[in-house]
Amino acid sequence: MERAKLSLLFALHAVTVVCSGGLLVDVVVDRYEIPKYCPREVETEDFIRYHFNGSFYTDGKKFDSSHDRGKAFISQVGLGRLITGMDRGLQGMCVGERRRITIPPHLAYGSIGTGGVIPPDAVLVYDVLLLDVWNAEDKVEIRTISKPSSCNRTTASSDFIRYHYNGTLLSGEAFDSSHSRNATYDTYLGQGDIIKGMDEGLLGMCVGERRIVIVPPFLAYGETGSGTLVPPQATLVFDVLLVDVFNPKDDLIVEVKEVPDGCTRRSAVGDYIRYHYNGSFQDGTAFDSSYQRNSTYNTYIGLGYVIQGMDKALQGLCVGEKRRITIPPHLAYGETGVGELIPSSAVLVFDIHVIDFHNPKDPVQIKVIHKPEDCSLTSEADDLIQYRYNCSLMDGTLLYSSDHFDSPSFTTLGADKVIPGLEKGLSGMCVGERREVVVPPHWGHGENGAGGVPRSAVLFFQLELVELQKGVPEGFMFVWLGDGPDALFPAMDLNGDKEVPLEEFSAFIRLQVEEGKGRLRPGVDPDRIIRDMFNNQDQNKDGKVTEDELSPREDDKAEKTGRDEL
């Protein structure tokens, strides 16, 4: 007998044999399918939900089945609400476990039976699958799966959160998933918008945190369940990933990442700003980037051209500054979002880098870096100048440089050969002087930009004046630097023969230039200028100039003015 009893204990895992006068077999439990993980076993006073098939031991005929009724059986264990054999046979069971419980008559319906279904002295066999177990003392259980390394804020009551989840019953059967809908679940916390257990289980989470939240039935859908997927008295298991959190009282969060040295000016309402950005959600998912388009985002500040939060965040910045800006949805795209790009009620995170900004009223800024001691002769309109330059964006990106060429650049001031801002920056310089010049776009290439210069770009020039040739007014080839000779023709007629050929005319003009009495237009071949001047005076085109030709008639003065002034 003892050997038989030990054999049954070994094979059936849980067998009780009672000897009291005669042979009375107690409940026999065969745990024929046990889950690998069993965090909890059924104890007295626990509530359980389970499926079963009930049959007679003698012939195997089925007398009852929860499967046939399509509804699991719910009861409390150990308080006499079940037949004694079941109260005993269910003890220590795990969710997901299958066991066969054999119950002798005196622990079932005895010598009387019941309801014409169970005959007297019947040994009953129950095949049981445990689906759920809970206790009236249970609380929400939270298991943290992963958590971000940094967490500046955790969820609190009255926050609005967006999260993904997979929802299963305690048995592992799925009943819902936000992932399958490709949309987060969005709700307020602590306001009764979700089941009580989730209101509690979602508190204290960080964005990016993943946790398992186990909710007992009385903190979930209770006795009614929910639809066809959540049965009555079901414990719910949620695998939650927090995507977003904010509070309706939230303002911008601005984190300064980098501020350049020597910031003398900060952006203000009415300024026009160019900046790069990466846009992401709080969980790090990117939704947009100016870098990917290789083009800055350009806008006016504080005039409603961008979302309210960004309009505010762009104020008080330095050129070159980097910031992280977190914008709650009520200062961004609100409950509507933007199509498939920005979800409803999304917190937006922008990492921005300010390239430049300006005001439409800004002048050209000129800073003298070096000035020679002798600076009596300075550049002005009509002068021909030679200069070195570097042209960069305000972030230091070099666009052009005279160092890329074999020699410095030339230009005539006032001739509209360079942008107005550079013209202004080059004016009033003496040879050897160096300057830094900031040119706003309305003094530069404007809203359209030009060959390598971005639209609405502020330009930074480093200038050095290398050479200066004083010029003559527009339309003139030669000017006197004082009063010319009172008797011009005799002075020009070097041999006194009353006529001046080209050679004599050229020698006279060159002499005036050498002696500093007159000036030819710089940057043009002197021989060509003198020849053009001579041809202009040789009215009859006979190859010589006479005194009559040199002295214009009264009605010719207007025509000659602005061409050659002798």
Side-chain angles (χ1 to χ4, degrees):
M1 170 57 70
E2 289 301 322
R3 282 200 306 270
K5 183 176 81 167
L6 291 174
S7 177
L8 284 171
L9 279 170
F10 180 81
L12 302 180
H13 306 283
V15 175
T16 302
V17 176
V18 179
C19 296
S20 180
L23 181 61
L24 297 176
V25 180
D26 202 349
V27 174
V28 178
V29 176
D30 178 9
R31 303 179 70 183
Y32 62 87
E33 189 173 313
I34 304 174
K36 293 181 179 179
Y37 176 66
C38 181
R40 175 176 184 171
E41 296 180 346
V42 174
E43 297 178 359
T44 297
E45 296 188 5
D46 281 347
F47 290 87
I48 62 172
R49 185 166 55 86
Y50 61 96
H51 270 302
F52 72 90
N53 285 318
S55 60
F56 297 115
Y57 179 79
T58 53
D59 57 8
K61 182 179 179 181
K62 183 167 59 178
F63 61 83
D64 195 7
S65 173
S66 63
H67 297 281
D68 293 346
R69 294 196 297 272
K71 185 178 181 181
F73 192 81
I74 300 170
S75 187
Q76 194 173 16
V77 177
L79 299 182
R81 298 181 180 179
L82 298 168
I83 59 175
T84 304
M86 283 296 278
D87 258 345
R88 295 183 185 179
L90 293 169
Q91 293 282 341
M93 199 169 183
C94 303
V95 170
E97 180 181 343
R98 294 177 183 270
R99 59 171 58 173
R100 183 174 291 107
I101 304 171
T102 304
I103 305 174
H106 64 280
L107 297 177
Y109 296 100
S111 59
I112 301 175
T114 183
V117 176
I118 307 296
D121 298 318
V123 178
L124 306 181
V125 179
Y126 289 90
D127 280 293
V128 178
L129 169 63
L130 187 62
L131 302 175
D132 207 339
V133 56
W134 74 95
N135 193 285
E137 301 300 321
D138 284 351
K139 301 182 183 303
V140 173
E141 183 180 349
I142 297 172
R143 302 174 189 167
T144 300
I145 304 301
S146 62
K147 201 169 186 176
S149 56
S150 62
C151 180
N152 298 324
R153 173 181 185 171
T154 59
T155 56
S157 184
S158 80
D159 282 345
F160 189 90
I161 64 172
R162 298 172 51 240
Y163 62 96
H164 272 300
Y165 70 90
N166 288 316
T168 61
L169 305 179
L170 202 58
S171 60
E173 183 181 353
F175 66 84
D176 196 12
S177 172
S178 64
H179 297 281
S180 65
R181 295 189 296 274
N182 197 30
T184 56
Y185 191 88
D186 308 341
T187 186
Y188 282 98
L189 274 181
Q191 297 187 7
D193 295 334
I194 52 180
I195 58 176
K196 290 182 179 180
M198 283 296 275
D199 246 347
E200 180 181 338
L202 294 170
L203 292 173
M205 287 191 79
C206 304
V207 170
E209 180 178 345
R210 183 183 166 202
R211 61 171 54 167
I212 302 296
V213 180
I214 302 174
V215 182
F218 51 88
L219 295 176
Y221 295 103
E223 297 179 358
T224 60
S226 178
T228 59
L229 296 177
V230 179
Q233 300 290 38
T235 301
L236 304 183
V237 181
F238 294 92
D239 185 340
V240 179
L241 173 65
L242 188 64
V243 173
D244 208 347
V245 57
F246 75 93
N247 193 282
K249 297 179 181 178
D250 284 350
D251 201 350
L252 296 174
I253 298 175
V254 176
E255 182 181 356
V256 178
K257 295 289 189 179
E258 183 180 322
V259 180
D261 295 332
C263 176
T264 58
R265 173 179 175 179
R266 292 181 178 272
S267 57
V269 172
D271 285 345
Y272 190 86
I273 190 169
R274 298 191 316 121
Y275 62 96
H276 270 302
Y277 71 89
N278 286 318
S280 62
F281 303 120
Q282 281 198 100
D283 66 348
T285 303
F287 64 82
D288 195 14
S289 173
S290 64
Y291 295 98
Q292 291 180 351
R293 295 189 295 273
N294 197 29
S295 176
T296 57
Y297 192 88
N298 308 336
T299 188
Y300 284 97
I301 300 172
L303 301 182
Y305 291 107
V306 291
I307 56 176
Q308 184 179 352
M310 186 60 80
D311 239 354
K312 185 176 180 180
L314 292 174
Q315 299 176 36
L317 288 158
C318 301
V319 170
E321 184 169 346
K322 295 180 179 180
R323 286 185 177 184
R324 170 166 288 183
I325 302 164
T326 303
I327 304 178
H330 49 276
L331 296 177
Y333 295 101
E335 297 180 359
T336 57
V338 179
E340 296 182 356
L341 183 65
I342 308 293
S344 168
S345 300
V347 176
L348 306 182
V349 180
F350 291 92
D351 287 291
I352 69 170
H353 179 201
V354 179
I355 303 302
D356 64 41
F357 61 83
H358 71 278
N359 193 281
K361 298 178 181 179
D362 281 349
V364 175
Q365 299 176 39
I366 299 173
K367 181 180 179 181
V368 177
I369 303 301
H370 171 74
K371 198 166 191 174
E373 292 183 5
D374 181 13
C375 193
S376 56
L377 189 66
T378 59
S379 56
E380 59 185 350
D382 301 316
D383 289 349
L384 179 68
I385 62 171
Q386 188 179 29
Y387 63 100
R388 289 191 179 94
Y389 72 93
N390 289 319
C391 176
S392 307
L393 300 178
M394 295 303 289
D395 66 349
T397 301
L398 181 64
L399 298 178
Y400 304 106
S401 174
S402 58
D403 294 338
H404 296 161
F405 304 96
D406 295 334
S407 61
S409 297
F410 285 90
T411 192
T412 300
L413 294 179
D416 293 329
K417 301 295 185 181
V418 295
I419 57 175
L422 180 56
E423 177 98 28
K424 193 170 185 67
L426 290 167
S427 298
M429 292 185 77
C430 53
V431 173
E433 183 176 343
R434 295 194 299 273
R435 290 180 173 181
E436 291 180 348
V437 179
V438 178
V439 179
H442 47 277
W443 285 88
H445 294 284
E447 296 180 359
N448 297 323
V453 178
R455 296 182 299 111
S456 300
V458 179
L459 301 179
F460 177 73
F461 285 92
Q462 296 170 304
L463 303 175
E464 179 184 2
L465 190 63
V466 177
E467 185 179 320
L468 170 62
Q469 298 181 51
K470 299 304 292 184
V472 300
E474 182 65 28
F476 290 81
M477 292 180 282
F478 173 90
V479 294
W480 293 103
L481 298 180
D483 295 330
D486 292 334
L488 180 59
F489 186 80
M492 185 181 296
D493 185 11
L494 300 179
N495 60 9
D497 63 355
K498 305 298 182 182
E499 56 186 23
V500 178
L502 176 60
E503 294 78 6
E504 201 169 21
F505 184 90
S506 177
F508 172 78
I509 295 297
R510 290 179 184 278
L511 180 63
Q512 308 312 304
V513 173
E514 290 174 4
E515 293 178 351
K517 297 177 181 179
R519 182 186 302 148
L520 289 169
R521 173 171 290 280
V524 184
D525 180 15
D527 290 337
R528 183 168 72 85
I529 291 179
I530 293 172
R531 185 172 56 253
D532 288 346
M533 293 172 62
F534 177 82
N535 291 335
N536 193 41
Q537 299 297 326
D538 182 15
Q539 297 179 30
N540 61 9
K541 309 304 178 187
D542 62 353
K544 54 183 180 284
V545 175
T546 64
E547 188 169 6
D548 291 340
E549 290 175 314
L550 191 63
S551 302
R553 300 184 303 275
E554 288 297 322
D555 57 356
D556 288 338
K557 286 183 180 179
E559 178 185 352
K560 292 182 181 295
T561 299
R563 295 184 299 172
D564 307 329
E565 190 61 45
L566 295 176

